Amino acid sequence: MLFIDKDEPSIIQARELHLSRVSCRIRRKLDGTKCNNQQCEICNRVTHKIKNVSNKIVEILTDEIFLKTILVGLPQELFEMCELVWSEMVPGFNWQEYEVFLKIKNSKNPTQLQNIIINKYLNSHNLLRKIFDYDDWFKNGKDQVRYDAYQLATNLNRYTCTYCNRSYTHTIKTKDNHKVMRPTFDHWFAHTRHPLLGLSFYNLIPSCALCNSSVKGFKEYLISSHLHPYIDKDCCDHITFDYSLDDETRKYKINLIPIAGADRAVKSYEDLMIKEIYSSHQSELSDLIRIKDAYSQQYISEMMNTYSAAGLTHEEVYRLAFGVELSSADFHKRPLSKFSKDILSKLKII
């Protein structure tokens, strides 16, 4: 897992635009008000106001402090907001009963007791999904020019999957705004369980389709048990890629070595199936091992001395030699950068 520095100027700018545009969207849907920016593409579009929402809920969800917290609040704050809103919307709300609802809400032949639970939560659950409409509005499959998932992906400017660092996640549009590709956004707190967090900035993690859909899916992640890419600055340091030779097959296998006390990292990597996924990179591992025979330990220094006139930095020579990034802050720019650096370090090439 890669760290995303929330204090980077580009991330701050992305966050502020997200707050501005999504706040406008929610207010337009709930009370019809527009912002003071006459150029706001959200407020200048037709938005249908949601009917039959209680004044109390409208007041809560359009409150400036609440909106700022739910849209750009840190992950630790989001769970508390979920509980606050649910308690207002559903008298007698409790998480255990809500978990039951999530499991039975699509039952074809619910029991009488199950019907009671479904009826207690269903309308509120559907309402929150409609208000914080990630699938219907934010994904924006059409080639409209407005704030959406493509714009957020462009602003974040992350080149590889935050979770696995294996796949490129470039954002590409043509000159006429035709959408070609972008990273998927994983909801760190699953929005099927937490529809209120469907558009929360720090809950939208740029990732590849494999990690988002096939691996992580709807697993329940908690700050207490899992790493979060916006919180854990040293998340890259908790686990190190290693390798060993299998005595039976005589083939190299990839291992993950946690530091002491890295329980959250171990749980995160297990749930993301990082070891299983990286087992497909035997050829890359073999190439790195062969490099040890081809290059001396002073290879980078020798290249810098040989081509001193080129003015290449140590990081540039490293990238040219191995095709990956050296600094953890740049790991996202090239696939397999974390893996390659760990293996090269074990080989004592760097």
Side-chain angles (χ1 to χ4, degrees):
M1 182 182 294
L2 304 182
F3 174 61
I4 306 176
D5 188 352
K6 62 181 177 58
D7 296 321
E8 281 287 327
S10 60
I11 302 299
I12 293 173
Q13 187 174 4
R15 183 186 67 211
E16 293 307 308
L17 181 63
H18 185 81
L19 173 62
S20 171
R21 296 299 183 262
V22 180
S23 293
C24 287
R25 169 68 176 179
I26 293 171
R27 288 198 178 97
R28 292 278 285 153
K29 295 187 74 174
L30 287 173
D31 62 15
T33 59
K34 295 184 179 181
C35 69
N36 295 324
N37 180 7
Q38 295 183 351
Q39 305 301 317
C40 177
E41 74 275 14
I42 303 300
C43 292
N44 287 332
R45 291 179 179 272
V46 175
T47 301
H48 297 290
K49 185 178 175 181
I50 300 175
K51 299 178 180 179
N52 302 319
V53 184
S54 71
N55 292 335
K56 179 65 173 177
I57 297 304
V58 171
E59 181 182 347
I60 292 174
L61 298 185
T62 57
D63 176 78
E64 183 176 354
I65 295 177
F66 169 83
L67 267 182
K68 184 171 183 178
T69 303
I70 208 66
L71 294 180
V72 298
L74 293 174
Q76 302 95 314
E77 303 173 281
L78 298 181
F79 201 88
E80 297 175 6
M81 281 296 173
C82 284
E83 191 160 19
L84 182 152
V85 172
W86 273 117
S87 298
E88 289 289 343
M89 297 181 76
V90 180
F93 169 82
N94 71 77
W95 286 110
Q96 291 75 22
E97 190 177 62
Y98 179 61
E99 291 288 353
V100 173
F101 158 76
L102 292 174
K103 293 177 181 178
I104 66 175
K105 65 184 178 71
N106 295 320
S107 299
K108 294 182 178 180
N109 298 299
T111 66
Q112 184 177 4
L113 178 59
Q114 287 176 333
N115 259 325
I116 293 174
I117 296 174
I118 292 171
N119 291 334
K120 181 176 179 178
Y121 291 95
L122 186 60
N123 288 340
S124 296
H125 186 270
N126 289 342
L127 176 60
L128 289 176
R129 286 184 68 95
K130 194 173 183 179
I131 296 170
F132 297 88
D133 49 348
Y134 175 84
D135 291 321
D136 295 335
W137 174 74
F138 194 63
K139 288 174 74 171
N140 188 21
K142 300 178 181 179
D143 295 335
Q144 298 174 343
V145 181
R146 66 163 177 79
Y147 186 75
D148 58 7
Y150 259 85
Q151 186 62 56
L152 175 60
T154 299
N155 294 345
L156 293 178
N157 200 28
R158 305 289 291 185
Y159 299 159
T160 64
C161 176
T162 305
Y163 291 137
C164 71
N165 187 220
R166 293 173 57 254
S167 304
Y168 275 118
T169 54
H170 290 298
T171 303
I172 299 174
K173 291 193 290 188
T174 62
K175 291 182 180 179
D176 58 354
N177 205 57
H178 176 65
K179 296 168 181 176
V180 179
M181 62 183 291
R182 67 165 174 83
T184 64
F185 282 104
D186 171 62
H187 289 82
W188 198 87
F189 292 114
H191 76 304
T192 51
R193 184 175 190 264
H194 301 290
L196 186 70
L197 308 182
L199 297 174
S200 300
F201 182 83
Y202 292 120
N203 200 41
L204 297 170
I205 310 302
S207 57
C208 66
L210 175 64
C211 286
N212 185 6
S213 301
S214 301
V215 177
K216 183 174 180 290
F218 305 119
K219 292 175 183 174
E220 179 66 4
Y221 277 30
L222 297 172
I223 299 298
S224 59
S225 59
H226 293 79
L227 299 176
H228 192 290
Y230 276 108
I231 296 176
D232 295 284
K233 293 184 178 182
D234 56 350
C235 57
C236 276
D237 301 327
H238 287 281
I239 301 284
T240 301
F241 285 101
D242 202 339
Y243 72 91
S244 60
L245 184 65
D246 190 295
D247 292 334
E248 294 183 4
T249 64
R250 305 306 298 170
K251 294 182 178 179
Y252 291 109
K253 62 179 181 180
I254 296 169
N255 304 314
L256 299 177
I257 309 299
I259 63 173
D263 295 344
R264 292 168 62 238
V266 170
K267 177 64 174 171
S268 299
Y269 277 60
E270 286 179 351
D271 283 352
L272 290 169
M273 301 183 71
I274 298 298
K275 182 176 181 179
E276 290 80 3
I277 291 172
Y278 267 83
S279 66
S280 67
H281 290 283
Q282 295 291 333
S283 61
E284 286 83 357
L285 173 62
S286 297
D287 287 344
L288 291 174
I289 293 174
R290 282 196 293 270
I291 287 175
K292 183 175 178 61
D293 297 327
Y295 300 150
S296 70
Q297 293 182 20
Q298 293 78 33
Y299 177 70
I300 293 180
S301 297
E302 291 172 357
M303 281 191 66
M304 292 184 69
N305 292 332
T306 302
Y307 302 102
S308 58
L312 298 175
T313 66
H314 185 272
E315 287 77 10
E316 288 171 332
V317 172
Y318 177 90
R319 185 168 60 249
L320 290 171
F322 306 118
V324 292
E325 297 290 342
L326 178 62
S327 169
S328 61
D330 295 327
F331 281 169
H332 74 95
K333 294 180 180 179
R334 302 271 181 131
L336 305 179
S337 288
K338 157 71 173 167
F339 167 78
S340 298
K341 183 177 181 181
D342 285 352
I343 299 300
L344 289 169
S345 295
K346 178 180 175 61
L347 294 168
K348 302 186 184 307
I349 294 177
I350 60 171

